[in-house]
């Protein structure tokens, strides 16, 4: 039998393949395919690509609480005889095995190999693209898609989603105009392309098109504001535009509606969106009201994971913004202990060692008024913090914290150098221009 991209798939029935195809199509637009996975595995607990999809999806979340689902899928796959897999499916298993163990680099490399042989394998592309994002591998974020794109029929119903992925990779690699063009093509083909919408938002931000960016996000709000797992993330992109244009009340209203609210599911991917917005407001001494404490409360169930340090850093942000320095200190202490006593094999260990611990220490020091320490922690990793994962926009909280710490520490020369750099990239940014005026007023 063949799947949605005409690749051989081991399945007992066409109904299983149809469920798989539906699940993959949903994943392309970031709709949760879990109901489809459950139906597949209820029908056939040994359905290879159903188990592979379950394992991949559980690891996409970067939530240690979902790791058990990935391990369960892997264990089921490893009990199956070798004859139950075709070659492509065995390669998927080979990628899942190190990923479950926390070796993101090896998993990423295997997906690259898989895509060389099977450039139409959409799950390998989707998961590889996410791993590039988690690892901060900006060139492969662009080139993984570029290597396979010419092998796809432009009339294929999933082709537009590849353009959305390419757009994001191009934006992160600095090709902002190309990223905008491909992102707009993607959403024109599929207005519900959530990743494509977010890629256009990234490109607009990097180009300093704040008003156009806000208008674009408002135009596509009926598509990104429901029935997908990236609602909070696209909402914060709207918020970032509003913060730049000084529409603070509107930005807070968007936060309250879409990012963090009483019934929100406390998943790390959504919680870090909340931290990203609130920290920017915190740096500008804005009144956060109850929001910082509410966000910190939501992080309490997730801050002991030591699974993906990008999440740990955003937990520290929330606790510091709420004034809970004890919990923030506990996270930093746990990370230090992890470097001494933890397993050094997972990729996360090197992330903590090279970047993550320093970032967490900087946020804590900043909150405690120790701006010199914040500078000393962030400055050495300024040009290498891509290894920390996340996007340029997400890591801008590090750049803003470094700049603000330099200003508050009275380090005028460093502050001026940092704002010069920002103005070169985005000369019309109200934030950058405002900081320039602040520095000029320094003694």
């Amino acid at each position: 039998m063949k799947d949605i991209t005409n690749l051989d798939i081991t399945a007992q029935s066409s109904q299983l393949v149809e469920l798989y195809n539906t699940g993959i199509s949903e994943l392309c637009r970031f709709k949760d395919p879990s109901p489809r996975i459950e139906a597949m595995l209820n029908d056939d607990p040994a359905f290879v690509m159903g188990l592979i999809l379950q394992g991949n999806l559980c690891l996409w979340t970067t939530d240690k609480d979902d790791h058990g689902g990935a391990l369960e899928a892997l264990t089921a796959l490893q009990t199956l005889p070798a004859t139950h897999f075709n070659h492509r499916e065995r390669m998927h298993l080979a990628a899942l095995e190190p990923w479950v163990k926390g070796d993101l680099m090896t998993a990423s490399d295997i997906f690259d190999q898989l895509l060389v042989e099977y450039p139409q394998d959409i799950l390998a592309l989707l998961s590889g693209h996410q791993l590039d994002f988690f690892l901060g591998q900006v060139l492969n974020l662009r080139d993984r898609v570029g290597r396979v794109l010419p092998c796809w029929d432009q009339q294929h119903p999933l082709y537009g989603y590849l353009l959305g992925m390419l757009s994001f990779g191009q934006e992160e690699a600095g090709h902002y105009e190309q990223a905008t063009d491909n992102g707009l093509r993607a959403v024109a083909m599929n207005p519900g392309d959530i990743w494509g919408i977010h890629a256009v938002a990234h490109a607009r931000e990097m180009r300093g098109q704040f008003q156009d960016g806000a208008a674009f996000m408002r135009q596509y709000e009926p598509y990104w504001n429901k029935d997908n797992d990236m609602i909070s993330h696209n909402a914060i992109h709207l918020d970032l535009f509003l913060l730049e244009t000084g529409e603070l009340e509107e930005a807070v209203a968007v936060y309250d509606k879409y990012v963090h609210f009483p019934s929100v599911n406390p998943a790390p991917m959504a919680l870090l969106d909340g931290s990203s917005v609130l920290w920017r407001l915190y740096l500008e001494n804005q009144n956060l009201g109850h929001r910082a404490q509410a966000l910190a409360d939501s992080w309490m169930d997730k801050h002991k994971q030591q699974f993906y340090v990008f999440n740990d850093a955003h937990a520290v942000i929330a606790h510091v913004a709420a004034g809970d320095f004890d919990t923030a200190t506990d996270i930093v202490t746990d990370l230090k202990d992890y470097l001494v006593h933890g397993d050094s094999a997972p990729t996360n260990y090197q992330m903590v060692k090279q970047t993550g611990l320093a970032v967490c220490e900087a946020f804590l020091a900043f909150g405690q008024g120790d701006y010199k320490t914040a500078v000393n922690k962030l400055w050495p990793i300024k040009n290498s913090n891509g290894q920390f994962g996340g996007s340029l926009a997400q890591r801008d909280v590090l750049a803003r914290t470094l700049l603000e710490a330099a200003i508050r520490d009275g380090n005028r020369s460093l502050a001026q150098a940092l704002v010069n750099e920002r103005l070169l990239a985005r000369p019309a940014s109200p934030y950058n221009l405002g900081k320039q005026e602040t520095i000029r007023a320094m003694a």
Side-chain angles (χ1 to χ4, degrees), residues 216-381:
F216 174 81
M217 294 307 289
R218 287 298 195 196
Q219 178 186 351
Y220 281 88
E221 187 173 355
Y223 297 100
W224 60 254
N225 71 359
K226 57 182 177 296
D227 202 24
N228 70 87
D229 290 332
M230 282 187 62
I231 294 173
S232 65
H233 193 70
N234 272 309
I236 71 161
H237 278 290
L238 174 56
D239 260 348
L240 297 186
F241 294 129
L242 296 171
L243 291 176
E244 279 283 0
T245 56
E247 299 172 77
L248 299 185
E249 289 186 8
E250 181 63 18
V252 170
V254 170
Y255 175 92
D256 290 341
K257 183 176 182 180
Y258 292 127
V259 180
H260 196 265
F261 41 87
S263 61
V264 70
N265 176 30
M269 289 179 68
L271 296 180
L272 68 85
D273 289 330
S275 294
S276 187
V277 170
L278 283 194
W279 188 253
R280 286 167 165 86
L281 293 169
Y282 176 82
L283 291 176
E284 300 308 306
N285 295 315
Q286 295 294 321
N287 182 5
L288 304 181
H290 66 282
R291 295 174 184 84
Q293 187 59 58
L295 182 64
D297 290 344
S298 292
W299 269 113
M300 285 301 293
D301 290 336
K302 303 295 179 181
H303 80 273
K304 289 282 188 181
Q305 292 197 345
Q306 294 177 0
F307 189 64
Y308 182 52
V309 72
F310 193 75
N311 295 342
D312 297 327
H314 285 80
V316 171
I317 282 176
H319 292 297
V320 169
D324 182 2
F325 299 124
D326 288 343
T327 302
T329 300
D330 286 345
I331 297 173
V332 170
T333 300
D334 287 346
L335 290 173
K336 290 178 179 178
D337 290 344
Y338 172 63
L339 290 180
V340 175
H341 304 293
D343 183 359
S344 62
T347 304
N348 185 58
Y349 185 92
Q350 291 303 319
M351 288 181 168
V352 174
K353 182 178 181 179
Q354 295 173 22
T355 309
L357 176 59
V359 168
C360 292
E361 290 176 321
F363 287 137
L364 177 57
F366 188 98
Q368 293 175 324
D370 185 359
Y371 304 118
K372 190 178 297 294
T373 294
V375 168
N376 290 339
K377 292 294 181 180
L378 291 176
W379 174 252
I381 60 172

Side-chain angles (χ1 to χ4, degrees), residues 59-119:
L59 294 170
W60 272 37
T61 67
T62 69
D63 187 343
K64 191 174 184 179
D65 292 341
D66 293 330
H67 182 262
L71 182 60
E72 178 184 296
L74 176 61
T75 301
L77 287 162
Q78 290 173 331
T79 63
L80 299 175
T83 54
H84 207 78
F85 301 77
N86 64 33
H87 177 64
R88 180 175 68 93
E89 293 163 346
R90 282 195 294 274
M91 292 188 77
H92 267 288
L93 174 58
L96 184 61
E97 287 173 333
W99 196 359
V100 168
K101 294 177 182 177
D103 185 354
L104 278 61
M105 290 298 299
T106 298
S108 176
D109 289 344
I110 294 172
F111 280 129
D112 264 337
Q113 296 168 28
L114 196 162
L115 286 163
V116 168
E117 292 191 46
Y118 303 97

Side-chain angles (χ1 to χ4, degrees), residues 196-213:
I197 292 170
H198 125 282
V200 174
H202 273 276
R204 295 262 197 241
E205 181 177 354
M206 292 301 108
R207 298 175 78 180
Q209 298 172 337
F210 308 118
Q211 292 181 339
D212 288 347

Side-chain angles (χ1 to χ4, degrees), residues 168-188:
F168 183 55
Q170 289 173 324
E171 177 273 324
E172 289 295 295
H175 310 298
Y176 304 135
E177 187 171 351
Q178 290 176 310
T180 302
D181 291 344
N182 282 316
L184 290 174
R185 285 179 63 198
V187 297

